[in-house]
Amino acid sequence: MPEIYRLVHAAYPCEPILVYGEHGLRSSEGAQRGDSLGPLEFCEAIHPLLTDLQSAVKIGFMDDITIAGDVQTVEADVNTISNHSVDTGLKLNISKCEIIAGNSVAIHDSSILSKFVKVTKDITLLGAPVVKGPAQVAALTHKID
C-alpha cells in the first residue's frame, strides 16, 4: 500500500520499547496490542496464504479462518496453513478448530481434520448464526436481553 508508506515509515523508524513497571523490552518483531496499524499489517501478511488456498470458500478475519469445500481440498488447505506457520506466525490451535460435516462424510483417523472439534448443531461463524435453528434463537435472545 504505497499510499501509506510515509505514515508507516514515520511510525516505525526503530524498535519500540514495551514498558511494564520499571522494566523495558525492545519489540523487534510482530504487531503489538494497541498498535493501530497492527491489524492491517497482520492482514497484509496473511493475504498471500489465503489467496493460495484451493477451497471453494475461504474467509479470513484476522486470525480466524473459515474454509469450506470437499474434504480432500479442505484437508490440503489446513495442511498448507499448518506448513506455513513459520512464514505467517500462525499456529493452529487444534482445540479451537472446528469442522462442520454430516455423518456421511468420512474423515480418516490419520487426517488433521479428525482432531478438530466436530460441530453438528448451533453452527455460528464469528459469533453469528449460520443457519436457522437453536443458534439463531440463542443469538436473538442474547441481543434482546
Side-chain angles (χ1 to χ4, degrees), residues 39-90:
L40 174 64
E41 291 173 332
F42 183 86
C43 292
E44 281 288 314
I46 197 169
H47 185 259
L49 174 64
L50 290 176
T51 57
D52 285 344
L53 299 179
Q54 301 302 310
S55 292
V57 175
K58 43 194 173 183
I59 302 168
F61 179 75
M62 299 300 294
D63 62 346
D64 289 322
I65 299 172
T66 299
I67 52 179
D70 64 86
V71 174
Q72 293 81 12
T73 305
V74 169
E75 180 179 19
D77 283 349
V78 169
N79 286 326
T80 297
I81 293 167
S82 184
N83 292 338
H84 283 81
S85 63
V86 173
D87 302 331
T88 62
L90 278 182

Side-chain angles (χ1 to χ4, degrees), residues 71 94-108 112-123:
V71 174
I94 299 292
S95 67
K96 290 185 174 182
C97 292
E98 298 177 343
I99 184 165
I100 302 168
N103 292 332
S104 62
V105 176
I107 298 173
H108 299 287
I112 192 168
L113 301 178
S114 69
K115 299 177 180 121
F116 286 17
V117 176
K118 190 165 187 180
V119 177
T120 56
K121 58 182 178 177
D122 297 341
I123 302 167

